[in-house]
Amino acid sequence: MLQQELLSRTSLETQKLDLMTEVSELKLKLVGMEKEQREQEEKQRKAESVLNVISELQEQMCRLQLDIHRQIQERLLHSRGHPEEVAASDGVAESQSCGQDCACWEGSPELLQELRHLKIKVEELENERNQYEWKLKATKAEVAQLQEQVALKDAEI
């Protein structure tokens, strides 16, 4: 009877140690996942920052293009001897909006190529940001699952 009680107690102690080991492993995994989540969030913040900078650069390029376009129009009108049309064309150049393709860049292939390059870069960064967001969601779900497992193991102990 005493021997049976000792065996039962030893078995329970072994189970307890096994559960404690498993809880420790889960806690370590949880810490690793939380670190990875923070890193993913930081990468996402950096990607968003880069997207903001690119957007600002695109706006600047478009304004510069409009200014260049206006200056070209002024020179053309002055060279033809129609200075009265310069004032009228100023409003047109200023009011042109920079559309998706920025068609008013036709006179400057280098600028148009640069704009296309920037658009491609923006698309790549947006895709990367979407991937980070997806990974972040998956990581959060896994962290929640691990926290639930830890809570269950703690309750068992």
Side-chain angles (χ1 to χ4, degrees):
M1 177 91 155
L2 182 61
Q3 190 177 22
Q4 192 177 25
E5 192 176 305
L6 281 174
L7 282 175
S8 177
R9 185 176 178 144
T10 304
S11 175
L12 288 173
E13 288 291 329
T14 303
Q15 287 177 354
K16 178 182 173 184
L17 289 174
D18 289 344
L19 286 172
M20 290 173 67
T21 301
E22 192 174 346
V23 165
S24 295
E25 290 171 357
L26 286 172
K27 285 182 179 179
L28 288 173
K29 190 173 181 181
L30 179 62
V31 166
M33 295 299 292
E34 288 171 342
K35 180 182 178 191
E36 185 178 322
Q37 180 181 357
R38 284 190 303 274
E39 290 170 355
Q40 292 295 333
E41 288 171 348
E42 180 63 26
K43 285 180 183 179
Q44 182 176 350
R45 279 192 293 276
K46 286 180 182 178
E48 288 173 356
S49 174
V50 168
L51 284 174
N52 289 337
V53 168
I54 288 173
S55 177
E56 290 171 9
L57 288 173
Q58 284 179 323
E59 289 174 16
Q60 267 184 336
M61 286 177 58
C62 196
R63 283 192 301 272
L64 288 172
Q65 185 281 325
L66 288 173
D67 190 40
I68 291 168
H69 181 72
R70 183 185 52 79
Q71 290 177 6
I72 291 170
Q73 291 297 322
E74 286 177 4
R75 288 182 186 164
L76 287 173
L77 292 172
H78 278 298
S79 69
R80 293 182 187 155
H82 301 287
E84 66 279 355
E85 294 179 23
V86 172
S89 70
D90 274 350
V92 173
E94 297 288 333
S95 66
Q96 285 179 331
S97 66
C98 282
Q100 192 72 13
D101 296 325
C102 214
C104 52
W105 289 41
E106 292 172 359
S108 179
E110 297 85 17
L111 291 176
L112 186 56
Q113 182 61 32
E114 181 67 18
L115 178 63
R116 287 183 182 139
H117 173 74
L118 287 172
K119 284 180 182 178
I120 291 169
K121 186 67 174 173
V122 167
E123 289 173 5
E124 289 172 354
L125 289 170
E126 285 175 347
N127 288 337
E128 189 176 338
R129 184 190 66 185
N130 288 337
Q131 289 175 357
Y132 285 139
E133 287 175 350
W134 182 84
K135 286 180 182 178
L136 180 62
K137 286 179 185 177
T139 302
K140 284 181 178 179
E142 191 171 349
V143 166
Q145 183 182 12
L146 287 172
Q147 287 174 331
E148 191 175 304
Q149 287 179 357
V150 168
L152 287 172
K153 293 296 179 180
D154 279 342
E156 282 182 29
I157 290 175

